[in-house]
Amino acid sequence: MRRPFIAGNWKMNLNRASAVALAEAIAKRAEKIEGVDMAVCPPSCYLDAVGRAVAGSSVALGAQNMYHEPDGAFTGELSAAMLRDMACKYVILGHSERRHILGETDAMINKKVHAALAAKLIPILCVGELLAEREAGQTLAVIRRQFDGSLAGVTAEQMATLVIAYEPVWAIGTGKVATPSRRKRSISAFARS
């Protein structure tokens, strides 16, 4: 069985001082926790400062996104090598906001997954359905499509290094709670299909 993993995605929140303070507090509390891998994923502009705040602790650094190309004229993007240079261990890919607000496709995410793996970053691949998809009984089809598209060409050996985050989009801001039994039913049904 894999070790439990907890990662905090800070999204577009905090400023430099509060990001460092939060990272330091998490690193301090993490000293008392055993048997769990942990990571923090701050906004990219704070990766360096937060990385220094958690350095030497059991808390790893992760990025919220990356681009699939190694370098070039891609204004505003970050490459896997840049993230490695900032001491990132993880990178979140396929987050629902990237998929549903910014229009990232499974094919785009797949390129990022391969680029991350090639750079020895651990992808945290997010999958999950919208409320309308869940209510229409499409949960399994949506997750299957996301798996098949986002993980195309990924080997079994590479799969062993990935983190899959089931992120039920229907539970974000809807007032509906993603209880462990609801998540378990979705994941168990997917595993049987």
Side-chain angles (χ1 to χ4, degrees):
M1 184 170 150
R2 292 178 83 165
R3 281 168 57 98
F5 177 61
I6 300 169
N9 176 6
W10 297 359
K11 304 192 180 199
M12 197 175 73
N13 292 299
L14 306 177
N15 60 30
R16 182 184 176 92
S18 58
V20 168
L22 179 57
E24 288 171 345
I26 291 169
K28 185 175 181 178
R29 291 282 308 266
E31 293 173 5
K32 300 174 184 158
I33 302 171
E34 295 180 10
V36 176
D37 291 329
M38 292 173 271
V40 292
C41 303
S44 60
C45 57
Y46 303 134
L47 283 170
D48 188 49
V50 169
R52 280 187 263 126
V54 299
S57 76
S58 61
V59 179
L61 184 65
Q64 296 178 8
N65 186 41
M66 59 165 263
Y67 197 60
H68 67 275
E69 292 290 345
D71 53 43
F74 305 104
T75 301
E77 296 292 346
L78 299 172
S79 71
M82 290 173 174
L83 298 182
R84 288 292 309 249
D85 193 39
M86 299 296 290
C88 287
K89 181 176 180 178
Y90 297 94
V91 60
I92 299 170
L93 301 174
H95 192 279
S96 65
E97 292 149 6
R98 305 280 320 169
R99 290 178 187 268
H100 302 294
I101 296 172
L102 300 172
E104 286 191 5
T105 66
D106 294 325
M108 293 167 70
I109 295 160
N110 181 250
K111 289 179 183 180
K112 292 180 180 191
V113 167
H114 284 282
L117 290 169
K120 306 290 188 236
L121 283 169
I122 300 172
I124 301 172
L125 176 67
C126 300
V127 297
E129 76 283 12
L130 297 168
L131 179 59
E133 293 167 332
R134 183 173 185 81
E135 290 176 344
Q138 298 172 340
T139 297
L140 300 182
V142 169
I143 295 173
R144 170 69 67 193
R145 177 187 44 91
Q146 290 173 346
F147 265 71
D148 290 347
S150 301
L151 297 173
V154 174
T155 67
E157 183 178 303
Q158 290 171 319
M159 278 297 297
T161 67
L162 283 164
V163 174
I164 305 293
Y166 173 59
E167 178 193 26
V169 185
W170 52 267
I172 301 171
T174 63
K176 296 181 185 281
V177 178
T179 63
S181 63
R182 281 185 177 170
R183 286 191 307 265
K184 186 175 181 182
R185 280 195 307 266
S186 294
I187 293 167
S188 294
F190 175 76
R192 289 191 305 271
S193 68

